[in-house]
Amino acid sequence: MMRGKYQDTPALPFTLGMEVAGVVEALGPGTGGPPPGTRVAVFGGSGGLADLGTYPADRTVPLPDAVDDISAAALQIAYGTSHVALDHKARLQPGETLVVLGAAGGVGLTAVELGHLMGATVVAIARGTEKLEVARAAGADHLIDAEDPDIRGRIKALGGADVVYDAVGGDLFRAAFRAMKPEGRILVIGHASGDVPQVPANHLLVKNIDLLGFYWGGYMSFRPKVVTDSLATLLQWAAEGRIKPHVSQVLPLERAQEGLDLLKSRASTGKVVITL
């Protein structure tokens, strides 16, 4: 977004900061709520790195008392992406097999955690023992190293995939695609490998497979209620202690540039949260 290359970069000038948690200070004319004094979370898209922000009221979600502001700000994109993808888009059911590619990554790990919470059998695919153990701790039932020469065979030996969550693309996508069950659903979340795979449409036809493109932020422009309903569910789960976002740094607003530098240098291991 800072480089002007993000698909939803606002028009200049704009303030960075997409995920916000705070207290409602005032309402615009004709706005029904939430009333001033209410603690809320909001995915604003921009404007978060400021003392005050102005957002559409229907994008706000009241915070349960048990959820602190730092957790509320940190969970929105990472958990929201996986929850809307798995629940709303892929219709993941208890007992189904979910294969997560890049399972130790930022969104991949939340897909493992939420898939487990939703009652699926979770197959985590990541590179190396250390990353696979992180996925196991998040709730993965089966682990497959991304360097395994027969990922397709490993998935098929577990019965095949009902849902594939793919933020990687490339060879991992191709292997998982070939291990889909009939009527399986494959979620295209991103292409971290840099390799955007081409899909043989005849295979979709023969196996009745659904190929589902998914961009969480896009829902804010045409169906924001999908996102706000999902955030309400996630915040309730956070209040119950069922999910807890990993926050690696908490910095004051005066050190916001330091927080951005941590992201650019990939020096953070979790979310970087800026406080007032």
Side-chain angles (χ1 to χ4, degrees):
M1 191 177 279
M2 286 188 289
R3 294 171 182 159
K5 296 181 178 180
Y6 187 62
Q7 59 261 33
D8 276 347
T9 299
L12 294 170
F14 70 90
T15 300
L16 292 166
M18 302 175 80
E19 305 163 271
V20 177
V23 178
V24 176
E25 293 285 336
L27 300 176
T31 303
T38 305
R39 296 176 60 243
V40 297
V42 56
F43 175 74
S46 62
L49 294 182
D51 295 279
L52 293 170
T54 304
Y55 303 101
D58 63 1
R59 290 193 183 188
T60 62
V61 179
L63 291 181
D65 291 340
V67 179
D68 62 87
D69 289 351
I70 290 173
S71 296
L75 67 76
Q76 296 181 49
I77 293 176
Y79 281 93
T81 295
S82 292
H83 184 250
V84 176
L86 295 175
D87 183 61
H88 173 75
K89 196 75 172 179
R91 310 174 306 281
L92 181 67
Q93 300 299 309
E96 289 191 316
T97 297
L98 167 67
V99 174
V100 181
L101 310 182
V107 292
L109 200 58
T110 63
V112 171
E113 188 175 352
L114 293 180
H116 175 74
L117 279 176
M118 294 166 71
T121 297
V122 181
V123 181
I125 300 180
R127 185 165 282 105
T129 302
E130 184 177 348
K131 289 184 176 181
L132 287 172
E133 286 304 318
V134 170
R136 186 198 299 277
D141 300 284
H142 304 281
L143 309 175
I144 301 175
D145 196 302
E147 300 288 352
D148 192 302
D150 188 21
I151 289 174
R152 176 198 181 194
R154 294 286 305 279
I155 297 172
K156 288 182 74 69
L158 295 170
D162 293 294
V163 175
V164 171
Y165 182 102
D166 176 35
V168 179
D171 289 339
L172 288 181
F173 173 96
R174 285 182 278 269
F177 180 76
R178 295 174 65 207
M180 299 287 293
K181 294 181 184 179
E183 293 198 323
R185 291 89 73 200
I186 187 161
L187 287 156
V188 180
I189 308 293
H191 309 102
S193 67
D195 179 352
V196 180
Q198 303 303 304
V199 178
N202 58 316
H203 291 191
L204 296 175
L205 182 154
V206 171
K207 295 181 72 174
N208 286 286
I209 291 173
D210 291 342
L211 184 66
L212 305 171
F214 180 74
Y215 169 44
W216 182 76
Y219 277 93
M220 297 310 296
S221 63
F222 67 93
R223 283 187 71 186
K225 194 172 185 298
V226 169
V227 171
T228 54
D229 285 352
S230 169
L231 287 179
T233 296
L234 291 168
L235 289 168
Q236 185 57 43
W237 286 353
E240 295 168 358
R242 301 173 72 185
I243 60 173
K244 184 171 178 59
H246 175 46
V247 176
S248 56
Q249 283 93 7
V250 178
L251 302 170
L253 183 61
E254 295 75 17
R255 295 171 63 189
Q257 184 60 55
E258 182 180 334
L260 294 168
D261 290 341
L262 286 168
L263 299 183
K264 286 192 290 184
S265 65
R266 301 191 178 189
S268 60
T269 58
K271 297 293 286 189
V272 177
V273 177
I274 304 299
T275 61
L276 297 176

